[in-house]
Amino acid sequence: MSRVKLLYAFSVIIFKSIGVSGQQPKSDAFQDTLGHIRPQSLPEVQAIAATGIAERLLGTRRAKLFVMTVDPDLGPIGKDTFAIKKNNLEQIEILGTSGVAVAWGLHYYLKNYCNVHVSWDGNQLDLPKTLPNVHVTVTSNDRFRYYQNVCTAGYSFAWWQWNQWERNIDWMALNGINLALAFTGQEAIWERVYLEMNLTRDEINEHFGGPAFLPWTRMGNIRGFGGSLSSSWHERSIRLQHRILQRMREIGIIPVLPAFTGYVPRSFSRIFPKANATKADRWNRFADNYCCPYLLDPEDPLFQTVGEKFLKMYIEEFGTDHVYNCDTFNENEPHTSSLKYLRNIASSVFKSMTNVDPKAIWLMQGWLFVHDKLFWTMPRAEAILTSVPIGRIIILDLQSEQFPQYNKLKSYFGQPFIWCMLHNFGGTLGMFGSAQIINYNVHAARNMNGSTMIGTGLTPEGINQNYVIYDLMTEMAYRKENVNLYTWFENYASRRYGAWNEYAATAWKSLARTVYNFVGTRRMRGHYVITKRPNLHLAPWTWYKHNTFYDAWKVFLQAAGGRRNSTLYRHDVIDLTRQALQLRADELYTILIKSFVEKNVDTFKSAAKAFMELFDDLESILASGKAFLLGSWLEGAKNLATNDAEKRLYEYNARNQITLWGPRGEIRDYASKQWSGVVVDYFKPRWAIFLDALESFLTRGTRVNVTKIYERIFEEVEKPFTFSQKLYTTEPKGDCVDTAMRILSKWYKPQGIPIPAG
């Protein structure tokens, strides 16, 4: 027996000898169907992977303070468990049911005993000189902790290389994530499938979207826009997916692989002229050359041929853990409401999986039931969900914090579901969240009569924003009771900045009462006046008083006396200042429109001057932080290119996605980013054109022709921005605290909005 295995076996014996694994196995309602969905790596391999996470997080020297062991029999069947204790050698021993459970235990200890913070934004890792004593066992509430939205691959991961994926997988494990999408590389496999079916490369490239738009090609929403994909892209994606899957499997994360949705290229009809296929509906006004692929009829034998061929090739290349995602009707309404058709297509999708993998489990996003409530009546939802055997499909209740469907669809008619927090659309910035709902409704859903809930999930369309709300949500996977939110937010501030600070604590408790206390059904997307195309009829709205936020902003900046050198404090200085300026812009807009309607020229000019100055201040605060730079996003795209043509294409993808989202603004500003560079060269010039036209009307009587204004904005700002190759820095400029203090002195007023005199 190897030394590693001896140490591993010895550690298991020690933990068992102190009674850590004394809990009796607990029955699982879906154990028969989901029992095989578990880590495939040997326990010692998972333990080594968990140790690797500790070393990357803490450094080799400090990681040696933690001894990590995996014992799959530690806790109840179907629930992850970790046990932590301090030994006589001053080491912290962590035993868990999987590598994920061990890494989760490490984070639990660091977070709750050492005041450490690990986030998307960065880490605060100041450990105490002596590690605190501990003797605790924690068991998950559910079987799964899920992560990712199918759109995250576009809005956040599009340009990621291995170092970013490695950190992301480490973060997953540290937060107990044991089920996650692994979608990289599927276009390379589809190319193999279609070439084997005698489509040409040109016909295939006409189908695939560009790198920033692949999620919507995969779901049949669009085709071709932003493409084509080069052989170097395919080769790189294959290599990257192998590394992603290897690391996920080593640590014990179950990767969710793609399956056939039913959509095929338009050119499919050239090869199979008798195929029974329906042209998909137009999505978000995309023109015919970029929309509407064909959807094969589920009863056409070609449906199984294509679906099985793809999945077989994918598994041959990457292996499988038996869970597959497929979203055929994600914002695509079926061409018929026939219950027979809905049953057939669901059973056909599932059959295309099980004919290749008899153990297949279908994971489906439940967004269709939110997006198109009129079509998805109770009988239609039941038809599609119950055509798959109970337990063989898992539904992601995708936006449970605002639009839950499990309570409306009878807990998905007996099918297992995961309570998910979507929160963010398009990766937009803007501070918002629903802490109260998360704190109470997760427990309520789990405990309701007849509940088939089997997990919690994070399903944001884009990450790297509002980390606090995700930090809270991950704790719902193990917490047995609700938390005191004000205390929790105060502790969050202490962990994030490395020490308790009265100003930071006060500010964060205020944020808990305001921006992170949304309750309701009105759509909140993080969009503000400055990020929207200028319009006379915008309707700025918040559910909290602006002055309360401004006061929290002012108090937070007072924490600079003790926290100024904290990397995460400086990040949040920029974020709060950005938010404050956006709110001020919303207020200024209201004054602008009112003065325009009332033809009050002096007030309009003063408000317009202040409004444009605000863009300059916003640009300056964003430029002071690396996480808020357009240059970082663009360089990430260009760094993947292997030649000049690819570089231009990838940069166009990156620029278009965060602005026009389509050749002519089909989903304009949906994924807008308040980044330095975007503010000064995109948002501000649009408003300059618009306000100039309004002022011309007031002073010279020039007719306001909105159509002409929008043509100018498109031709002079929006379109040129997407095609520009202007270089933007990847290094911050100026001191964020000093800049924020200057902006505070200019824009903070406890009453009313300051408007500089003419």
Side-chain angles (χ1 to χ4, degrees), residues 536-537 590-600 604 694 697-698:
L536 287 169
H537 306 290
T590 301
I591 295 172
L592 281 165
I593 299 306
K594 184 174 186 293
S595 61
F596 176 76
V597 171
E598 295 175 351
K599 296 183 172 59
N600 189 327
F604 180 88
L694 298 190
F697 168 80
L698 291 176

Side-chain angles (χ1 to χ4, degrees), residues 464-482:
N464 295 320
Q465 39 72 37
N466 290 292
Y467 189 78
V468 63
I469 211 73
Y470 297 88
D471 199 25
L472 176 64
M473 181 61 201
T474 58
E475 293 188 10
M476 296 301 109
Y478 65 78
R479 286 193 176 274
K480 310 303 179 187
E481 298 177 348
N482 304 326

Side-chain angles (χ1 to χ4, degrees), residues 253-264:
I253 296 173
I254 305 300
V256 179
L257 304 180
F260 180 49
T261 59
Y263 294 100
V264 294

Side-chain angles (χ1 to χ4, degrees), residues 12 26 101 166 218 291 332 335 362-363 399 464 476 507 522 565 574 588 599 602 688 697 733 736:
V12 172
K26 186 177 180 180
E166 181 175 54
R218 294 164 179 171
C291 82
N332 284 328
H335 71 274
W362 178 3
L363 184 84
Q399 196 180 9
N464 295 320
M476 296 301 109
R522 185 166 177 173
N565 293 327
I574 299 171
L588 277 169
K599 296 183 172 59
D602 290 340
F697 168 80
K733 180 177 67 176
C736 66

